[in-house]
Amino acid sequence: MSESGLPPARRLWERVESERNNRGWTTVELQERSGVDRSTVSRLKTSKRSPLPETVNKLADALRIPRQEAHALAGLVGAPSVRSPEDAVTAPQAVVSIVNVEGDADTEALLTRLSPRRRRLLEQFRESERERLARIAESVARETEEANRRFAELVRSEAEETDLS
């Protein structure tokens, strides 16, 4: 269970149901469009276990929910708990884990219809975007580590001053 007492993916289930209903889709249509079994979607409501990232990605893509948002709703990514001053700014792993450039199901289907030459060019573009985002994520991770180090120094300094007074 999550801190709120709800199953970890309950918020994702609520969003999926809302999006599905807004589109007028049945659960069977959602299953066909996402490739996720209806029972798997239903279990998001009550399961004590977090769903697989692949499941979340498929649902997010089918419903055009940003993957990062869907992962947060599923309890897979979120604000890290602060365990020590070094962890106080954020955990860079959360940034690195979301670097992904994928099209939604419709885009991927269209991609398969293109000529091999065009598809190869677009795949090269996608790969260059992945690499660009990976560089950005690495930079963010380095900056986060530096911010954590500076914050820890400030906390130690304040603690020492408090101990001396």
Side-chain angles (χ1 to χ4, degrees):
M1 293 286 177
S2 67
E3 289 178 23
S4 66
L6 294 174
R10 175 65 179 260
R11 291 177 52 227
L12 175 64
W13 175 82
E14 290 169 353
R15 177 70 186 276
V16 166
E17 285 298 292
S18 172
E19 295 290 335
R20 182 183 65 76
N21 289 324
N22 287 342
R23 289 171 171 74
W25 295 355
T26 65
T27 55
V28 172
E29 285 176 293
L30 177 61
Q31 177 178 319
E32 290 170 353
R33 292 171 185 259
S34 68
V36 177
D37 191 77
R38 294 179 316 174
S39 63
T40 301
V41 174
S42 180
R43 278 194 302 269
L44 296 174
K45 182 178 180 180
T46 58
S47 179
K48 293 179 182 168
R49 295 180 58 197
S50 294
L52 295 172
E54 296 81 18
T55 301
V56 176
N57 288 346
K58 288 178 181 180
L59 290 169
D61 292 348
L63 294 166
R64 295 193 173 130
I65 300 170
R67 284 184 172 185
Q68 180 180 1
E69 180 182 344
H71 282 248
L73 290 170
L76 298 176
V77 181
S81 58
V82 177
R83 294 176 302 278
S84 69
E86 289 79 9
D87 295 334
V89 175
T90 189
Q93 298 80 9
V95 175
V96 176
S97 69
I98 60 172
V99 173
N100 199 3
V101 178
E102 297 294 332
D104 59 30
D106 293 337
T107 302
E108 294 300 323
L110 289 171
L111 185 63
T112 64
R113 294 174 40 197
L114 297 175
S115 71
R117 182 178 160 281
R118 291 263 194 201
R119 192 169 43 242
R120 191 171 40 257
L121 287 171
L122 290 170
E123 290 292 351
Q124 287 172 348
F125 172 78
R126 183 184 348 214
E127 186 56 33
S128 71
E129 287 298 291
R130 283 182 180 141
E131 290 170 2
R132 183 180 68 81
L133 289 172
R135 287 191 303 274
I136 291 169
E138 288 171 13
S139 174
V140 168
R142 282 192 304 274
E143 289 184 31
T144 301
E145 289 172 8
E146 176 61 20
N148 284 333
R149 186 191 60 72
R150 288 194 316 262
F151 181 76
E153 287 176 8
L154 284 170
V155 170
R156 284 188 201 98
S157 174
E158 289 294 319
E160 287 173 8
E161 284 184 28
T162 302
D163 289 346
L164 295 175
S165 350

